[in-house]
Amino acid sequence: MQADLIATRALIQEGALTAAQAMEASERLAQAPAAAHCFLSSSFEQERDRLQRTETAHQPLAGLAISVKDLFDVAGQVTAAGSLALQDAPAAASDAPAVARLRAAGGSIVGRTHMVEFAFSGVGTNPHFTTPAAFDARFGAIPGGARVPGGSSSGAAVSVASGACFAALGSDTGGSIRIPAAFNGLVGFKSTARLVPTGGAIPLSTTLDTACAMTRSVRDAILVHEVLAARHAVRSAAPLSQWRLAVPATTFLEDLAPEVRTAFQRSLDALQQAGAHIETIDLRETAELGPMQAQGSLAAAESYAWHRPLLAQSAHRYDPRVRSRIERGGTMGAADYIDLQQARQDWINRMQARMASFDALLSPCTPIPAPLMADVAPGEARDEAFFKVNALVLRNTSVVNMLDGCALSLPCHVRGELPTGLMVWHAGEHDDAVLNIGLRIEELLQK
């Protein structure tokens, strides 16, 4: 596994490595097969030249390579959101706030990454551009054929897993940071949405969108979150035995692939052997989400509101799988939308009451590992398989978004297994507890 951001920053601060040398290494890895197709555009050489003239060693991100999902504005670049429909749009006049914060902290913005068109899928494919294959950040190439990288922050994940970048800015509306993190052996942290500004990013759902990042370690996740949220995360040295943990059985443990079930149960066993107190609960409220959204989802309704004028001009340039889901939002009435928002708030209140006695909940991040690319690649013949897989990989993660919560996915597979994520989560503003528990779990599972 590549050294994480904090370890590499320490080498730079000690004088054992320069930021320009680290950038040169990142550039080499970006040109390697593992990183193929993860960038839509890149500027490693320009950033390396800049670092030779700039002192960044004592900044939080130390000049190290950071990628940006094609969803966010970067000054002077077109924000196309993985779509042909926006390729001719004017370049952004300024950085999105999240990008500006990364840059101000010393991050080197080295490229725009591949993504699902308009962020509308958890699988990761995009028919307009070659989809990068998943790569295991811990153990290298995944054998047995190319697998999807997860979405919608697909290239973002591969940019970090391949070693080309130390962190990747992305977004998470229903799991778009955590799913690709799970599929690529990475750490993905979805913070409480309101902690990081989403301005300067093309919206999928103004209610659910979260600007957040993927990293190689939990400690890096804390650092990058602190930069993005402009806040200090309170650290805790409390051992696992002092945290109250729960495993919800309803929804989250249903229809698990054998590989996921094995990795998750092994992780729970290891935690309990280390002194963790884990209680299994049913959390029946999660089964209400399907019926609650029978008239349509927030993402469909809110994305349709944004896309309506663009669809009128350029519907033929959209991925048909994306366009069909956006257009579904046009059938949702105003009263249905208001009813859903009210039902969601009532559901959040009841969920918070049920979870209040626990510091965090533990679940598989996705019920299945990454499927083979060939099984869900663009093409009408594979649409049924694609939509089935998409709904399945989003099932666990999307609960947290509807909860307005926070969640961390960290790898829990071992060598020889497909990458799998363990999700640590809770309601909104429990970010610090989730991150601290994640640190303890990572220390245990990676011994």
Side-chain angles (χ1 to χ4, degrees):
M1 183 176 180
Q2 297 292 330
D4 67 7
L5 191 158
I6 289 177
T8 307
R9 182 183 67 180
L11 292 175
I12 293 171
Q13 292 174 343
E14 293 163 3
L17 180 73
T18 68
Q21 288 170 335
M23 185 61 65
E24 186 176 0
S26 288
E27 183 178 11
R28 285 198 303 271
L29 289 166
Q31 295 169 349
H37 312 299
C38 72
F39 290 102
L40 297 174
S41 63
S42 63
S43 55
F44 286 92
E45 184 176 353
Q46 297 94 310
E47 286 301 303
R48 187 183 71 235
D49 292 344
R50 181 185 67 82
L51 290 168
Q52 291 172 339
R53 307 185 304 271
T54 308
E55 171 56 49
T56 61
H58 297 289
Q59 292 181 285
L61 302 180
L64 295 171
I66 310 292
S67 68
V68 172
K69 187 177 183 177
D70 193 32
L71 199 72
F72 292 86
D73 286 348
V74 175
Q77 299 178 10
V78 173
T79 305
S83 179
L84 301 181
L86 290 178
Q87 282 195 324
D88 300 325
S94 59
D95 289 342
V99 175
R101 289 179 178 183
L102 291 168
R103 206 189 291 276
S108 293
I109 307 303
V110 297
R112 305 185 71 85
T113 52
H114 182 287
M115 59 176 286
V116 174
E117 185 181 48
F118 295 117
F120 219 141
S121 160
V123 176
T125 56
N126 185 325
H128 308 311
F129 309 96
T130 303
T131 301
F135 185 82
D136 187 349
R138 299 184 67 197
F139 303 118
I142 301 172
R147 293 182 178 269
V148 297
S152 61
S153 307
S154 46
V158 178
S159 76
V160 179
S162 65
C165 293
F166 288 86
L169 176 64
S171 62
D172 191 309
T173 304
S176 288
I177 281 285
R178 289 160 289 153
I179 295 166
F183 285 178
N184 291 271
L186 295 170
V187 172
F189 179 56
K190 179 237 176 292
S191 63
T192 302
R194 56 187 169 274
L195 295 182
V196 182
T198 55
I202 293 175
L204 172 55
S205 166
T206 51
T207 297
L208 305 175
D209 291 345
T210 308
C212 44
M214 276 174 275
T215 58
R216 299 179 194 167
S217 67
V218 177
R219 66 177 186 169
D220 281 2
I222 295 173
L223 170 62
V224 175
H225 169 65
E226 289 180 325
V227 170
L228 290 173
R231 64 180 289 267
H232 175 70
V234 177
R235 308 302 204 275
S236 170
L240 282 169
S241 59
Q242 293 185 22
W243 299 98
R244 299 161 299 170
L245 306 175
V247 173
T250 308
T251 303
F252 291 93
L253 301 185
E254 297 168 6
D255 302 318
L256 298 184
E259 306 98 316
V260 173
R261 186 177 297 280
T262 296
F264 183 64
Q265 188 59 55
R266 181 178 60 235
S267 301
L268 296 184
D269 292 344
L271 292 175
Q272 289 174 320
Q273 289 169 12
H277 302 286
I278 303 174
E279 181 180 340
T280 300
I281 60 175
D282 55 33
L283 204 59
R284 293 182 300 274
E285 290 82 356
T286 58
E288 299 174 20
L289 285 178
M292 188 190 303
Q293 299 176 88
Q295 301 304 314
S297 69
L298 293 171
E302 292 172 350
S303 65
Y304 181 75
W306 190 93
H307 283 273
R308 185 169 48 177
L310 188 60
L311 282 167
Q313 300 173 357
S314 302
H316 63 286
R317 304 183 78 182
Y318 279 60
D319 174 358
R321 291 173 175 175
V322 169
R323 187 181 69 237
S324 66
R325 279 170 287 158
I326 293 174
E327 289 175 338
R328 241 174 262 152
T331 66
M332 191 174 185
D336 294 328
Y337 177 79
I338 293 169
D339 286 347
L340 177 55
Q341 288 282 18
Q342 292 174 340
R344 177 188 182 231
Q345 189 56 59
D346 172 72
W347 180 81
I348 289 173
N349 294 341
R350 290 184 287 113
M351 283 280 287
Q352 289 177 332
R354 291 273 283 120
M355 299 161 61
S357 59
F358 300 104
D359 294 303
L361 292 87
L362 307 177
S363 306
C365 183
T366 61
I368 59 173
L372 290 167
M373 192 94 69
D375 292 342
V376 292
E380 191 173 341
R382 290 175 292 277
D383 280 355
E384 183 178 353
F386 168 85
F387 286 117
K388 181 179 179 180
V389 165
N390 188 54
L392 194 55
V393 299
L394 286 163
R395 186 194 69 194
N396 289 2
T397 54
S398 61
V399 173
V400 179
N401 299 79
M402 283 296 284
L403 182 64
D404 195 20
C406 53
L408 179 82
S409 179
L410 66 157
C412 64
H413 62 294
V414 298
R415 187 178 296 278
E417 295 179 345
L418 293 173
T420 304
L422 171 66
M423 187 165 68
V424 185
W425 60 282
H426 209 295
E429 299 188 347
H430 285 71
D431 302 73
D432 294 354
V434 163
L435 288 166
N436 281 296
I437 293 166
L439 275 174
R440 302 287 86 79
I441 294 175
E442 181 181 60
E443 290 168 359
L444 177 67
L445 296 186
Q446 294 195 7
K447 281 183 178 177

